[in-house]
Amino acid sequence: MAPDWQPDFEKLVDQHQSMVFSLALRMTADRGLAEEIAQDVFMELDRSLAKIESPAHACFWLRKAAMHRSADALRRRKVRGIDLWVEMEDVHGIQSEDRATPISARLEQLLATLPEPQRAALVLRYQEDLTPEEIASTLQAPLATVKSHLQRGLKLLRSKAHSQLKDYVRGE
Amino acid sequence: MNPVDDERMDEFERELNEAFARRPAPPSLKRRLIERRAAEARRQSKSEHAWLVSKQLAWQQLAAALLLAALVTGGVEWRIALERRREEAARQQVLTALRITSHALDRMNARLTARRHQPQD
């Protein structure tokens, strides 16, 4: 860590807004809610700026806050992932340019149907390329639990993809 | 870490990596954040100002209360001192009256004594 590193709020927003927004979007499957969560996370960062020690710490802090706030939002809404996707399509009308490819969009839809802990582990693994240890640290969960969520989530997602996306997924 | 037991799983995981790439944040996110931050700073400054004003007011009230207490205490003390001065003056007057009476009685007594010792015609 650079000893004289000073956190710059706007710079941190520029660097990490995509990460925070994507985490919230994949966890909640609601674009409006994800933007709200991203705003709340950055506002919380602004209040805690004095505690941030390094760029890596800022990134870790933002991931953790985004995941916790998303989980809180999901708990408040108590809506299953698939319903969120339907609601999102109806209310927010996701534009097609948001989705890179049809297969990405379908995989995201399938991800939204997974239980929240498995979804969280998979998002951190495949969006953020974190190791199970890093995921456990971010989610403040035991490593064995995280590994179990990853394995089960991946298995479930694979079986859903196999049954629903066999025309798209490579190697399926 | 994953149950990657064959090439097909690797392929699926690569597919997930591509599918779960970060999405760009809405262009308005940063602008809204800056606006919200400015609004919060204004609100905080306003509440700090209100706190300072209320603190100043509290000090003013305390100073006024202390001044009032000092005035009342001073008034009471002044009143007690005045009463004491009056009492002292009254005591002095009584003592003076007693001294005059005593002096008159002494003179009277001296005259009576002198008359008693005069030779009888």
Side-chain angles (χ1 to χ4, degrees):
Chain A
M1 157 197 156
D4 55 350
W5 182 80
Q6 290 294 319
D8 178 339
F9 179 73
E10 289 194 30
K11 211 170 164 183
L12 287 172
V13 172
D14 284 335
Q15 284 171 347
H16 299 296
Q17 57 178 341
S18 157
M19 174 191 76
V20 172
F21 174 72
S22 301
L23 285 174
L25 180 63
R26 295 215 162 94
M27 284 305 293
T28 62
D30 182 327
R31 203 177 163 80
L33 185 58
E35 192 172 343
E36 203 176 295
I37 290 169
Q39 279 191 32
D40 289 346
V41 167
F42 280 110
M43 290 309 292
E44 198 183 331
L45 174 76
D46 188 32
R47 287 189 288 272
S48 309
L49 219 49
K51 295 179 201 159
I52 303 298
E53 295 165 356
S54 65
H57 183 212
C59 187
F60 171 78
W61 191 100
L62 284 167
R63 267 195 203 116
K64 198 169 147 182
M67 296 307 285
H68 285 175
R69 282 198 175 258
S70 300
D72 286 347
L74 285 175
R75 261 174 231 129
R76 275 199 299 275
R77 293 182 66 161
K78 289 185 189 296
V79 180
R80 286 182 59 213
I82 189 70
D83 299 333
L84 280 171
W85 273 105
V86 171
E87 186 180 293
M88 176 177 65
E89 295 285 359
D90 293 345
V91 178
H92 299 285
I94 281 192
Q95 287 118 26
S96 56
E97 61 264 25
D98 275 351
R99 314 265 181 89
T101 58
I103 178 66
S104 297
R106 294 291 292 138
L107 281 172
E108 286 197 327
Q109 284 180 335
L110 291 179
L111 176 77
T113 65
L114 298 185
E116 186 215 313
Q118 293 176 8
R119 191 158 71 239
L122 288 180
V123 167
L124 288 172
R125 176 73 189 99
Y126 295 104
Q127 182 191 299
E128 295 301 309
D129 286 326
L130 297 188
T131 62
E133 287 79 10
E134 290 168 330
I135 296 171
S137 170
T138 304
L139 298 176
Q140 292 180 300
L143 180 60
T145 308
V146 167
K147 282 183 175 172
S148 161
H149 287 325
L150 278 171
Q151 284 176 340
R152 286 178 190 192
L154 193 61
K155 195 175 168 189
L156 191 56
L157 194 60
R158 189 165 45 121
S159 74
K160 283 173 187 258
H162 183 71
S163 62
Q164 295 180 36
L165 310 175
K166 59 176 99 173
D167 297 337
Y168 292 112
V169 178
R170 289 196 297 264
E172 286 290 322
Chain B
M1 69 109 208
N2 291 314
V4 182
D5 47 13
D6 56 28
E7 188 57 31
R8 213 173 59 169
M9 273 302 299
D10 268 344
E11 194 63 38
F12 181 63
E13 286 190 87
R14 269 196 291 277
E15 198 76 64
L16 286 183
N17 258 322
E18 284 172 25
F20 295 167
R22 287 179 185 171
R23 297 270 194 88
S28 59
L29 179 67
K30 189 180 173 187
R31 181 180 48 79
R32 286 185 194 172
L33 263 174
I34 303 293
E35 284 170 3
R36 204 171 143 184
R37 197 174 176 228
E40 200 151 295
R42 274 197 302 276
R43 197 166 43 242
Q44 199 173 341
S45 140
K46 209 179 270 183
S47 73
E48 271 173 17
H49 177 71
W51 184 78
L52 275 177
V53 167
S54 71
K55 195 180 160 189
Q56 203 175 359
L57 196 67
W59 276 112
Q60 283 174 352
Q61 285 172 342
L62 182 67
L66 285 174
L67 183 66
L68 190 66
L71 282 174
V72 169
T73 310
V76 169
E77 289 287 331
W78 177 79
R79 181 94 186 167
I80 290 168
L82 185 69
E83 291 291 327
R84 280 194 188 141
R85 274 201 303 276
R86 282 181 184 164
E87 281 170 18
E88 186 61 26
R91 201 169 68 89
Q92 290 301 330
Q93 282 176 354
V94 170
L95 286 175
T96 305
L98 286 173
R99 267 199 302 274
I100 292 167
T101 311
S102 171
H103 186 65
L105 287 172
D106 283 349
R107 283 179 62 189
M108 187 65 73
N109 197 29
R111 271 191 205 170
L112 285 171
T113 309
R115 189 172 282 182
R116 210 178 293 142
H117 288 102
Q118 272 181 2
Q120 303 247 329
D121 291 332

